[in-house]
Amino acid sequence: MEQTLVLVKPDGVQRGLVGEVISRLERRGLKLVGMKLLQIDEALAGRHYAEHIDRPFYRGLVDFITSSPTVAMVWEAENAVILARQTMGETDPSKSPPGTIRGDLGITIGRNLVHGSDSSESAKREIGLFFQPREVLAYERNLDPWITES
Ligand code: DAT
Ligand code: MG
């Protein structure tokens, strides 16, 4: 089963939108298998956003993600990566359709509330940055047959 890393970034935590983000992913049917509140430091921010190090927005992005606590979660489903990113919307909230987290709750790219891994490989790498293996739990949900056929 695929897993993906979802972050509620400092803007989402400060705005009291943690429950809203969790609720949307829960209602979609994804399974929550790991969760923590943490203060991201410079080193973790650098590893998490390493692919963006040469981009002009990198410094601002690292300053923002380290500015206040973040909620990190691991969500599981078949195609969890794509499902979570669909539920989040486009990177730029102003281009995200209504019905998505960013489209309903955000205005600007630098305060887009959430992070979602962009591939299965990225998800494995990013989950490893935020969670020890024992912090990601395997458990059964009795409602799963009412969400998926297999
Ligand atoms: P995503 O978070 O949708 O995967 P990304 O990986 O391209 O988007 O970029 C990571 C974060 O960096 C993104 O959530 C917000 C910020 N960002 C991206 N492009 C930006 C830009 N042009 N200006 C300011 N911030 C940007
Ligand atoms: Mg990305």
Side-chain angles (χ1 to χ4, degrees):
M1 193 71 75
E2 190 171 64
Q3 296 180 337
T4 190
L5 180 80
V6 172
L7 302 178
V8 183
K9 297 180 188 179
D11 51 341
V13 176
Q14 287 283 343
R15 290 175 58 191
L17 295 173
V18 175
E20 174 79 29
V21 172
I22 291 173
S23 180
R24 286 174 183 234
L25 293 166
E26 278 184 323
R27 282 186 291 154
R28 185 95 195 256
L30 286 84
K31 179 159 78 171
L32 181 62
V33 295
M35 181 162 74
K36 61 175 68 170
L37 176 75
L38 78 160
Q39 178 70 46
I40 297 180
D41 65 15
E42 187 84 16
L44 178 56
R47 293 178 73 193
H48 178 65
Y49 282 128
E51 64 174 314
H52 297 305
I53 191 155
D54 294 324
R55 309 288 283 278
F57 58 81
Y58 178 78
R59 191 64 250 168
L61 180 60
V62 169
D63 286 347
F64 165 58
I65 204 79
T66 58
S67 64
S68 183
T70 289
V71 170
M73 296 177 281
V74 183
W75 288 87
E76 191 175 275
E78 292 293 348
N79 296 318
V81 166
I82 285 171
L83 292 174
R85 284 178 69 93
Q86 278 177 348
T87 294
M88 289 176 191
E90 301 298 318
T91 302
D92 185 345
S94 72
K95 299 187 174 73
S96 288
T100 63
I101 292 168
R102 288 162 169 170
D104 286 344
L105 306 171
I107 291 174
T108 186
I109 195 165
R111 298 287 184 271
N112 65 0
L113 297 156
V114 281
H115 166 84
S117 308
D118 64 8
S119 69
S120 212
E121 295 66 42
S122 310
K124 288 192 185 89
R125 185 184 78 82
E126 293 173 357
I127 291 166
L129 293 177
F130 285 84
F131 290 88
Q132 303 289 328
R134 64 181 164 75
E135 294 174 324
V136 179
L137 307 183
Y139 64 98
E140 296 299 319
R141 282 191 314 190
N142 289 339
L143 56 65
D144 277 336
W146 302 103
I147 298 173
T148 60
E149 290 169 88
S150 50

Short mmCIF file of all heavy atoms in Angstrom, two decimals, residues 13-78:
data_model
loop_
_atom_site.label_atom_id
_atom_site.label_comp_id
_atom_site.label_asym_id
_atom_site.label_seq_id
_atom_site.Cartn_x
_atom_site.Cartn_y
_atom_site.Cartn_z
N VAL A 13 -1.15 25.52 10.88
CA VAL A 13 -1.23 25.31 12.33
C VAL A 13 -1.66 26.60 13.01
O VAL A 13 -2.58 26.62 13.84
CB VAL A 13 0.13 24.81 12.88
CG1 VAL A 13 0.08 24.69 14.40
CG2 VAL A 13 0.51 23.47 12.26
N GLN A 14 -1.03 27.73 12.64
CA GLN A 14 -1.36 29.02 13.25
C GLN A 14 -2.82 29.41 13.01
O GLN A 14 -3.47 30.00 13.87
CB GLN A 14 -0.44 30.13 12.71
CG GLN A 14 0.99 30.06 13.23
CD GLN A 14 1.10 30.57 14.66
OE1 GLN A 14 0.22 31.25 15.17
NE2 GLN A 14 2.21 30.22 15.32
N ARG A 15 -3.33 29.05 11.83
CA ARG A 15 -4.70 29.43 11.49
C ARG A 15 -5.76 28.45 12.03
O ARG A 15 -6.95 28.63 11.79
CB ARG A 15 -4.84 29.57 9.96
CG ARG A 15 -4.11 30.79 9.41
CD ARG A 15 -4.15 30.83 7.89
NE ARG A 15 -5.52 30.84 7.40
CZ ARG A 15 -5.85 30.65 6.11
NH1 ARG A 15 -4.90 30.45 5.21
NH2 ARG A 15 -7.11 30.67 5.74
N GLY A 16 -5.30 27.42 12.73
CA GLY A 16 -6.25 26.47 13.32
C GLY A 16 -6.90 25.57 12.28
O GLY A 16 -8.06 25.17 12.43
N LEU A 17 -6.12 25.22 11.23
CA LEU A 17 -6.68 24.42 10.14
C LEU A 17 -6.19 22.97 10.13
O LEU A 17 -6.42 22.24 9.17
CB LEU A 17 -6.38 25.10 8.80
CG LEU A 17 -7.06 26.46 8.61
CD1 LEU A 17 -6.57 27.15 7.34
CD2 LEU A 17 -8.58 26.29 8.57
N VAL A 18 -5.52 22.56 11.23
CA VAL A 18 -5.03 21.17 11.29
C VAL A 18 -6.20 20.19 11.17
O VAL A 18 -6.16 19.24 10.38
CB VAL A 18 -4.24 20.92 12.59
CG1 VAL A 18 -3.84 19.45 12.71
CG2 VAL A 18 -3.00 21.81 12.65
N GLY A 19 -7.24 20.43 11.97
CA GLY A 19 -8.40 19.53 11.95
C GLY A 19 -9.07 19.49 10.59
O GLY A 19 -9.51 18.44 10.12
N GLU A 20 -9.16 20.65 9.96
CA GLU A 20 -9.77 20.75 8.62
C GLU A 20 -9.01 19.88 7.61
O GLU A 20 -9.62 19.16 6.81
CB GLU A 20 -9.74 22.22 8.19
CG GLU A 20 -10.19 22.50 6.79
CD GLU A 20 -11.71 22.52 6.64
OE1 GLU A 20 -12.40 22.86 7.63
OE2 GLU A 20 -12.19 22.19 5.55
N VAL A 21 -7.68 19.95 7.64
CA VAL A 21 -6.87 19.16 6.70
C VAL A 21 -7.04 17.68 6.99
O VAL A 21 -7.27 16.86 6.09
CB VAL A 21 -5.38 19.58 6.79
CG1 VAL A 21 -4.51 18.64 5.97
CG2 VAL A 21 -5.21 21.03 6.31
N ILE A 22 -6.94 17.32 8.27
CA ILE A 22 -7.11 15.90 8.64
C ILE A 22 -8.49 15.42 8.22
O ILE A 22 -8.64 14.34 7.63
CB ILE A 22 -6.91 15.71 10.16
CG1 ILE A 22 -5.45 15.95 10.53
CG2 ILE A 22 -7.36 14.31 10.59
CD1 ILE A 22 -5.19 15.95 12.04
N SER A 23 -9.49 16.22 8.49
CA SER A 23 -10.86 15.82 8.19
C SER A 23 -11.06 15.55 6.70
O SER A 23 -11.71 14.56 6.31
CB SER A 23 -11.81 16.92 8.67
OG SER A 23 -13.13 16.57 8.38
N ARG A 24 -10.49 16.40 5.87
CA ARG A 24 -10.66 16.21 4.42
C ARG A 24 -10.01 14.92 3.95
O ARG A 24 -10.56 14.20 3.11
CB ARG A 24 -10.09 17.41 3.66
CG ARG A 24 -10.98 18.64 3.77
CD ARG A 24 -10.33 19.84 3.12
NE ARG A 24 -11.14 21.02 3.30
CZ ARG A 24 -11.56 21.81 2.30
NH1 ARG A 24 -11.21 21.55 1.06
NH2 ARG A 24 -12.29 22.87 2.55
N LEU A 25 -8.81 14.62 4.47
CA LEU A 25 -8.13 13.38 4.06
C LEU A 25 -8.85 12.16 4.64
O LEU A 25 -8.97 11.13 3.96
CB LEU A 25 -6.67 13.43 4.49
CG LEU A 25 -5.84 14.49 3.75
CD1 LEU A 25 -4.50 14.72 4.45
CD2 LEU A 25 -5.62 14.11 2.29
N GLU A 26 -9.32 12.27 5.87
CA GLU A 26 -10.09 11.16 6.48
C GLU A 26 -11.36 10.88 5.70
O GLU A 26 -11.68 9.73 5.40
CB GLU A 26 -10.49 11.51 7.92
CG GLU A 26 -9.43 11.29 8.97
CD GLU A 26 -9.96 11.59 10.37
OE1 GLU A 26 -10.76 12.54 10.52
OE2 GLU A 26 -9.56 10.87 11.30
N ARG A 27 -12.09 11.96 5.37
CA ARG A 27 -13.36 11.77 4.68
C ARG A 27 -13.16 11.21 3.28
O ARG A 27 -13.99 10.48 2.76
CB ARG A 27 -14.15 13.10 4.61
CG ARG A 27 -14.82 13.42 5.93
CD ARG A 27 -15.70 14.63 5.81
NE ARG A 27 -14.91 15.84 5.63
CZ ARG A 27 -15.35 16.94 5.03
NH1 ARG A 27 -16.55 16.99 4.53
NH2 ARG A 27 -14.56 17.99 4.93
N ARG A 28 -12.02 11.57 2.66
CA ARG A 28 -11.72 10.99 1.34
C ARG A 28 -11.54 9.49 1.44
O ARG A 28 -11.83 8.76 0.49
CB ARG A 28 -10.44 11.66 0.79
CG ARG A 28 -10.07 11.24 -0.63
CD ARG A 28 -10.59 12.22 -1.65
NE ARG A 28 -10.55 11.67 -3.00
CZ ARG A 28 -9.67 11.98 -3.94
NH1 ARG A 28 -8.71 12.85 -3.69
NH2 ARG A 28 -9.74 11.45 -5.14
N GLY A 29 -11.04 9.02 2.58
CA GLY A 29 -10.87 7.58 2.80
C GLY A 29 -9.44 7.14 3.04
O GLY A 29 -9.19 5.96 3.28
N LEU A 30 -8.49 8.09 2.97
CA LEU A 30 -7.11 7.71 3.27
C LEU A 30 -6.99 7.34 4.75
O LEU A 30 -7.76 7.82 5.58
CB LEU A 30 -6.14 8.85 2.94
CG LEU A 30 -5.87 9.08 1.45
CD1 LEU A 30 -6.97 9.94 0.84
CD2 LEU A 30 -4.51 9.72 1.22
N LYS A 31 -6.00 6.51 5.05
CA LYS A 31 -5.81 6.04 6.43
C LYS A 31 -4.61 6.74 7.06
O LYS A 31 -3.51 6.75 6.49
CB LYS A 31 -5.60 4.52 6.43
CG LYS A 31 -5.38 3.95 7.81
CD LYS A 31 -5.67 2.46 7.88
CE LYS A 31 -4.55 1.63 7.29
NZ LYS A 31 -4.74 0.19 7.55
N LEU A 32 -4.83 7.32 8.23
CA LEU A 32 -3.76 7.99 8.97
C LEU A 32 -2.91 6.93 9.69
O LEU A 32 -3.43 6.18 10.51
CB LEU A 32 -4.37 8.95 9.99
CG LEU A 32 -3.41 9.76 10.86
CD1 LEU A 32 -2.54 10.69 10.01
CD2 LEU A 32 -4.20 10.58 11.88
N VAL A 33 -1.62 6.88 9.37
CA VAL A 33 -0.75 5.86 9.99
C VAL A 33 0.42 6.45 10.77
O VAL A 33 1.16 5.72 11.42
CB VAL A 33 -0.25 4.82 8.94
CG1 VAL A 33 -1.42 4.02 8.38
CG2 VAL A 33 0.56 5.48 7.82
N GLY A 34 0.57 7.78 10.74
CA GLY A 34 1.62 8.43 11.54
C GLY A 34 1.30 9.90 11.70
O GLY A 34 0.77 10.51 10.77
N MET A 35 1.59 10.48 12.87
CA MET A 35 1.32 11.91 13.07
C MET A 35 2.14 12.47 14.22
O MET A 35 2.27 11.84 15.26
CB MET A 35 -0.16 12.13 13.36
CG MET A 35 -0.52 13.59 13.56
SD MET A 35 -2.28 13.91 13.39
CE MET A 35 -2.88 13.22 14.89
N LYS A 36 2.69 13.68 14.02
CA LYS A 36 3.39 14.39 15.11
C LYS A 36 3.36 15.90 14.86
O LYS A 36 3.26 16.34 13.72
CB LYS A 36 4.83 13.90 15.24
CG LYS A 36 5.69 14.11 14.03
CD LYS A 36 7.14 13.70 14.27
CE LYS A 36 7.33 12.21 14.45
NZ LYS A 36 8.76 11.80 14.45
N LEU A 37 3.46 16.65 15.98
CA LEU A 37 3.64 18.11 15.91
C LEU A 37 5.11 18.36 16.20
O LEU A 37 5.64 17.85 17.19
CB LEU A 37 2.78 18.78 16.97
CG LEU A 37 2.94 20.30 17.11
CD1 LEU A 37 2.25 21.02 15.95
CD2 LEU A 37 2.32 20.77 18.43
N LEU A 38 5.78 19.11 15.33
CA LEU A 38 7.20 19.36 15.56
C LEU A 38 7.60 20.74 15.07
O LEU A 38 6.91 21.36 14.25
CB LEU A 38 8.07 18.30 14.88
CG LEU A 38 8.28 18.42 13.36
CD1 LEU A 38 9.50 17.62 12.95
CD2 LEU A 38 7.07 17.95 12.58
N GLN A 39 8.72 21.21 15.60
CA GLN A 39 9.34 22.44 15.12
C GLN A 39 10.43 22.02 14.13
O GLN A 39 11.41 21.38 14.53
CB GLN A 39 9.95 23.18 16.32
CG GLN A 39 10.68 24.47 15.95
CD GLN A 39 9.74 25.57 15.49
OE1 GLN A 39 8.71 25.82 16.10
NE2 GLN A 39 10.10 26.21 14.40
N ILE A 40 10.26 22.32 12.87
CA ILE A 40 11.26 21.97 11.86
C ILE A 40 12.46 22.90 12.02
O ILE A 40 12.29 24.12 12.09
CB ILE A 40 10.67 22.08 10.44
CG1 ILE A 40 9.52 21.07 10.28
CG2 ILE A 40 11.75 21.87 9.38
CD1 ILE A 40 8.87 21.10 8.90
N ASP A 41 13.66 22.32 12.12
CA ASP A 41 14.86 23.17 12.21
C ASP A 41 15.47 23.34 10.82
O ASP A 41 15.03 22.75 9.83
CB ASP A 41 15.86 22.61 13.24
CG ASP A 41 16.42 21.25 12.85
OD1 ASP A 41 16.27 20.85 11.68
OD2 ASP A 41 17.01 20.60 13.74
N GLU A 42 16.49 24.19 10.78
CA GLU A 42 17.15 24.54 9.52
C GLU A 42 17.66 23.29 8.79
O GLU A 42 17.51 23.16 7.56
CB GLU A 42 18.32 25.47 9.87
CG GLU A 42 19.05 26.08 8.72
CD GLU A 42 18.40 27.35 8.18
OE1 GLU A 42 17.54 27.95 8.88
OE2 GLU A 42 18.74 27.72 7.06
N ALA A 43 18.23 22.34 9.54
CA ALA A 43 18.81 21.15 8.92
C ALA A 43 17.73 20.28 8.27
O ALA A 43 17.87 19.83 7.12
CB ALA A 43 19.57 20.34 9.97
N LEU A 44 16.62 20.08 9.00
CA LEU A 44 15.53 19.26 8.45
C LEU A 44 14.89 19.97 7.25
O LEU A 44 14.58 19.35 6.23
CB LEU A 44 14.49 18.96 9.54
CG LEU A 44 13.27 18.16 9.10
CD1 LEU A 44 13.66 16.82 8.47
CD2 LEU A 44 12.33 17.92 10.29
N ALA A 45 14.71 21.28 7.37
CA ALA A 45 14.14 22.05 6.25
C ALA A 45 15.02 21.91 5.01
O ALA A 45 14.53 21.72 3.90
CB ALA A 45 14.00 23.52 6.64
N GLY A 46 16.32 21.99 5.20
CA GLY A 46 17.26 21.87 4.09
C GLY A 46 17.20 20.51 3.42
O GLY A 46 17.26 20.41 2.19
N ARG A 47 17.03 19.47 4.22
CA ARG A 47 16.95 18.12 3.64
C ARG A 47 15.60 17.94 2.95
O ARG A 47 15.52 17.37 1.86
CB ARG A 47 17.14 17.06 4.73
CG ARG A 47 18.56 17.09 5.30
CD ARG A 47 18.74 16.08 6.41
NE ARG A 47 18.80 14.70 5.91
CZ ARG A 47 18.71 13.62 6.68
NH1 ARG A 47 18.54 13.74 7.98
NH2 ARG A 47 18.80 12.42 6.15
N HIS A 48 14.54 18.41 3.58
CA HIS A 48 13.20 18.23 3.01
C HIS A 48 13.07 18.98 1.67
O HIS A 48 12.48 18.46 0.72
CB HIS A 48 12.15 18.73 4.01
CG HIS A 48 10.75 18.64 3.48
ND1 HIS A 48 10.14 17.43 3.19
CD2 HIS A 48 9.85 19.60 3.17
CE1 HIS A 48 8.93 17.67 2.73
NE2 HIS A 48 8.73 18.97 2.70
N TYR A 49 13.61 20.20 1.61
CA TYR A 49 13.46 21.02 0.40
C TYR A 49 14.74 21.08 -0.43
O TYR A 49 14.93 22.02 -1.21
CB TYR A 49 13.00 22.43 0.78
CG TYR A 49 11.53 22.52 1.11
CD1 TYR A 49 11.09 23.11 2.30
CD2 TYR A 49 10.55 22.05 0.23
CE1 TYR A 49 9.74 23.22 2.60
CE2 TYR A 49 9.20 22.15 0.52
CZ TYR A 49 8.80 22.73 1.70
OH TYR A 49 7.45 22.84 1.99
N ALA A 50 15.60 20.05 -0.33
CA ALA A 50 16.88 20.04 -1.04
C ALA A 50 16.74 20.28 -2.54
O ALA A 50 17.56 20.97 -3.15
CB ALA A 50 17.60 18.71 -0.79
N GLU A 51 15.65 19.76 -3.15
CA GLU A 51 15.48 19.90 -4.60
C GLU A 51 15.31 21.37 -5.01
O GLU A 51 15.50 21.72 -6.18
CB GLU A 51 14.27 19.09 -5.09
CG GLU A 51 12.95 19.59 -4.51
CD GLU A 51 11.71 18.89 -5.09
OE1 GLU A 51 11.63 18.74 -6.31
OE2 GLU A 51 10.83 18.52 -4.29
N HIS A 52 14.94 22.23 -4.06
CA HIS A 52 14.66 23.64 -4.40
C HIS A 52 15.79 24.59 -4.03
O HIS A 52 15.62 25.81 -4.12
CB HIS A 52 13.38 24.09 -3.68
CG HIS A 52 12.16 23.34 -4.09
ND1 HIS A 52 11.76 23.25 -5.41
CD2 HIS A 52 11.24 22.63 -3.38
CE1 HIS A 52 10.65 22.52 -5.48
NE2 HIS A 52 10.32 22.13 -4.27
N ILE A 53 16.95 24.04 -3.65
CA ILE A 53 18.01 24.89 -3.08
C ILE A 53 18.44 26.04 -3.99
O ILE A 53 18.79 27.12 -3.50
CB ILE A 53 19.23 24.05 -2.62
CG1 ILE A 53 20.19 24.89 -1.80
CG2 ILE A 53 19.93 23.40 -3.81
CD1 ILE A 53 21.05 24.11 -0.84
N ASP A 54 18.37 25.86 -5.30
CA ASP A 54 18.81 26.92 -6.22
C ASP A 54 17.69 27.86 -6.65
O ASP A 54 17.92 28.77 -7.46
CB ASP A 54 19.47 26.30 -7.46
CG ASP A 54 20.76 25.58 -7.10
OD1 ASP A 54 21.47 26.07 -6.20
OD2 ASP A 54 21.04 24.53 -7.71
N ARG A 55 16.47 27.65 -6.14
CA ARG A 55 15.35 28.49 -6.56
C ARG A 55 15.35 29.81 -5.77
O ARG A 55 15.77 29.85 -4.62
CB ARG A 55 14.02 27.76 -6.32
CG ARG A 55 13.97 26.36 -6.91
CD ARG A 55 13.89 26.36 -8.42
NE ARG A 55 12.54 26.68 -8.86
CZ ARG A 55 11.54 25.79 -8.91
NH1 ARG A 55 11.74 24.54 -8.55
NH2 ARG A 55 10.35 26.15 -9.33
N PRO A 56 14.87 30.88 -6.40
CA PRO A 56 14.88 32.19 -5.72
C PRO A 56 14.03 32.21 -4.45
O PRO A 56 14.31 33.01 -3.55
CB PRO A 56 14.30 33.14 -6.78
CG PRO A 56 13.71 32.30 -7.84
CD PRO A 56 14.38 30.96 -7.79
N PHE A 57 13.02 31.36 -4.37
CA PHE A 57 12.14 31.37 -3.20
C PHE A 57 12.66 30.50 -2.06
O PHE A 57 12.02 30.42 -1.00
CB PHE A 57 10.73 30.92 -3.60
CG PHE A 57 10.65 29.55 -4.23
CD1 PHE A 57 10.65 28.40 -3.45
CD2 PHE A 57 10.57 29.41 -5.62
CE1 PHE A 57 10.57 27.14 -4.03
CE2 PHE A 57 10.49 28.15 -6.20
CZ PHE A 57 10.50 27.02 -5.39
N TYR A 58 13.83 29.83 -2.26
CA TYR A 58 14.29 28.84 -1.28
C TYR A 58 14.46 29.43 0.13
O TYR A 58 13.99 28.85 1.11
CB TYR A 58 15.61 28.22 -1.75
CG TYR A 58 16.18 27.22 -0.77
CD1 TYR A 58 15.66 25.93 -0.68
CD2 TYR A 58 17.23 27.56 0.08
CE1 TYR A 58 16.17 25.01 0.22
CE2 TYR A 58 17.75 26.65 0.98
CZ TYR A 58 17.21 25.38 1.04
OH TYR A 58 17.71 24.48 1.94
N ARG A 59 15.14 30.58 0.24
CA ARG A 59 15.40 31.16 1.56
C ARG A 59 14.09 31.46 2.31
O ARG A 59 13.93 31.15 3.48
CB ARG A 59 16.26 32.43 1.40
CG ARG A 59 16.83 33.01 2.68
CD ARG A 59 17.81 32.08 3.34
NE ARG A 59 17.25 31.55 4.57
CZ ARG A 59 17.75 30.53 5.28
NH1 ARG A 59 18.84 29.91 4.89
NH2 ARG A 59 17.17 30.12 6.36
N GLY A 60 13.17 32.07 1.56
CA GLY A 60 11.88 32.40 2.16
C GLY A 60 11.12 31.15 2.58
O GLY A 60 10.46 31.13 3.62
N LEU A 61 11.24 30.11 1.77
CA LEU A 61 10.55 28.85 2.06
C LEU A 61 11.10 28.23 3.34
O LEU A 61 10.33 27.79 4.21
CB LEU A 61 10.75 27.91 0.87
CG LEU A 61 10.12 26.52 0.92
CD1 LEU A 61 8.61 26.60 1.05
CD2 LEU A 61 10.50 25.73 -0.35
N VAL A 62 12.42 28.21 3.49
CA VAL A 62 13.04 27.63 4.68
C VAL A 62 12.71 28.50 5.91
O VAL A 62 12.37 27.96 6.98
CB VAL A 62 14.57 27.46 4.48
CG1 VAL A 62 15.26 27.13 5.79
CG2 VAL A 62 14.83 26.38 3.44
N ASP A 63 12.78 29.81 5.77
CA ASP A 63 12.43 30.69 6.89
C ASP A 63 10.98 30.45 7.33
O ASP A 63 10.68 30.40 8.53
CB ASP A 63 12.59 32.17 6.49
CG ASP A 63 14.06 32.58 6.41
OD1 ASP A 63 14.93 31.81 6.88
OD2 ASP A 63 14.33 33.65 5.85
N PHE A 64 10.11 30.29 6.36
CA PHE A 64 8.68 30.07 6.66
C PHE A 64 8.46 28.73 7.35
O PHE A 64 7.80 28.66 8.40
CB PHE A 64 7.88 30.16 5.36
CG PHE A 64 6.50 29.63 5.45
CD1 PHE A 64 5.59 30.15 6.36
CD2 PHE A 64 6.09 28.59 4.61
CE1 PHE A 64 4.29 29.64 6.43
CE2 PHE A 64 4.80 28.08 4.69
CZ PHE A 64 3.91 28.61 5.61
N ILE A 65 9.03 27.66 6.81
CA ILE A 65 8.73 26.32 7.34
C ILE A 65 9.34 26.12 8.74
O ILE A 65 8.88 25.27 9.49
CB ILE A 65 9.19 25.22 6.34
CG1 ILE A 65 8.41 23.91 6.54
CG2 ILE A 65 10.67 24.95 6.40
CD1 ILE A 65 7.05 23.88 5.97
N THR A 66 10.37 26.92 9.06
CA THR A 66 10.99 26.83 10.38
C THR A 66 10.44 27.86 11.37
O THR A 66 10.92 27.96 12.49
CB THR A 66 12.53 27.02 10.29
OG1 THR A 66 12.80 28.31 9.70
CG2 THR A 66 13.19 25.94 9.45
N SER A 67 9.43 28.63 10.96
CA SER A 67 9.02 29.80 11.75
C SER A 67 8.10 29.47 12.91
O SER A 67 7.94 30.28 13.82
CB SER A 67 8.33 30.82 10.83
OG SER A 67 7.13 30.28 10.30
N SER A 68 7.50 28.29 12.91
CA SER A 68 6.45 27.95 13.88
C SER A 68 6.16 26.46 13.69
O SER A 68 6.54 25.89 12.67
CB SER A 68 5.24 28.83 13.56
OG SER A 68 4.19 28.65 14.48
N PRO A 69 5.49 25.80 14.64
CA PRO A 69 5.31 24.35 14.51
C PRO A 69 4.55 23.90 13.25
O PRO A 69 3.73 24.62 12.70
CB PRO A 69 4.53 23.98 15.77
CG PRO A 69 4.95 25.00 16.76
CD PRO A 69 5.08 26.27 15.97
N THR A 70 4.88 22.68 12.87
CA THR A 70 4.30 21.99 11.70
C THR A 70 3.71 20.66 12.19
O THR A 70 4.26 20.05 13.11
CB THR A 70 5.43 21.72 10.68
OG1 THR A 70 5.83 22.94 10.08
CG2 THR A 70 5.00 20.74 9.59
N VAL A 71 2.63 20.23 11.57
CA VAL A 71 2.12 18.87 11.82
C VAL A 71 2.55 17.99 10.65
O VAL A 71 2.29 18.33 9.50
CB VAL A 71 0.59 18.86 12.00
CG1 VAL A 71 0.06 17.42 12.00
CG2 VAL A 71 0.21 19.56 13.29
N ALA A 72 3.22 16.90 10.97
CA ALA A 72 3.65 15.93 9.96
C ALA A 72 2.81 14.67 10.09
O ALA A 72 2.58 14.20 11.21
CB ALA A 72 5.13 15.60 10.15
N MET A 73 2.36 14.17 8.95
CA MET A 73 1.51 12.98 8.96
C MET A 73 1.90 12.04 7.84
O MET A 73 2.39 12.47 6.79
CB MET A 73 0.04 13.38 8.75
CG MET A 73 -0.51 14.23 9.86
SD MET A 73 -2.20 14.77 9.53
CE MET A 73 -1.89 16.11 8.39
N VAL A 74 1.66 10.75 8.06
CA VAL A 74 1.77 9.75 7.00
C VAL A 74 0.37 9.22 6.73
O VAL A 74 -0.33 8.81 7.68
CB VAL A 74 2.71 8.60 7.40
CG1 VAL A 74 2.85 7.62 6.24
CG2 VAL A 74 4.07 9.14 7.82
N TRP A 75 -0.03 9.28 5.48
CA TRP A 75 -1.36 8.79 5.06
C TRP A 75 -1.16 7.65 4.07
O TRP A 75 -0.25 7.70 3.24
CB TRP A 75 -2.16 9.91 4.41
CG TRP A 75 -2.63 10.94 5.40
CD1 TRP A 75 -1.94 12.03 5.83
CD2 TRP A 75 -3.88 10.95 6.09
NE1 TRP A 75 -2.70 12.74 6.75
CE2 TRP A 75 -3.89 12.10 6.93
CE3 TRP A 75 -5.01 10.13 6.08
CZ2 TRP A 75 -4.98 12.43 7.74
CZ3 TRP A 75 -6.09 10.46 6.90
CH2 TRP A 75 -6.07 11.60 7.72
N GLU A 76 -2.05 6.68 4.15
CA GLU A 76 -1.91 5.45 3.36
C GLU A 76 -3.17 5.20 2.53
O GLU A 76 -4.28 5.41 3.01
CB GLU A 76 -1.68 4.29 4.34
CG GLU A 76 -1.26 3.00 3.71
CD GLU A 76 -0.95 1.97 4.79
OE1 GLU A 76 0.18 1.97 5.31
OE2 GLU A 76 -1.86 1.19 5.12
N ALA A 77 -2.96 4.76 1.30
CA ALA A 77 -4.05 4.34 0.39
C ALA A 77 -3.40 3.80 -0.87
O ALA A 77 -2.21 4.07 -1.12
CB ALA A 77 -4.95 5.51 0.01
N GLU A 78 -4.15 3.06 -1.69
CA GLU A 78 -3.68 2.83 -3.05
C GLU A 78 -3.62 4.21 -3.71
O GLU A 78 -4.59 4.96 -3.63
CB GLU A 78 -4.68 1.94 -3.83
CG GLU A 78 -4.75 0.51 -3.34
CD GLU A 78 -3.46 -0.29 -3.58
OE1 GLU A 78 -2.58 0.19 -4.33
OE2 GLU A 78 -3.34 -1.37 -2.99
#
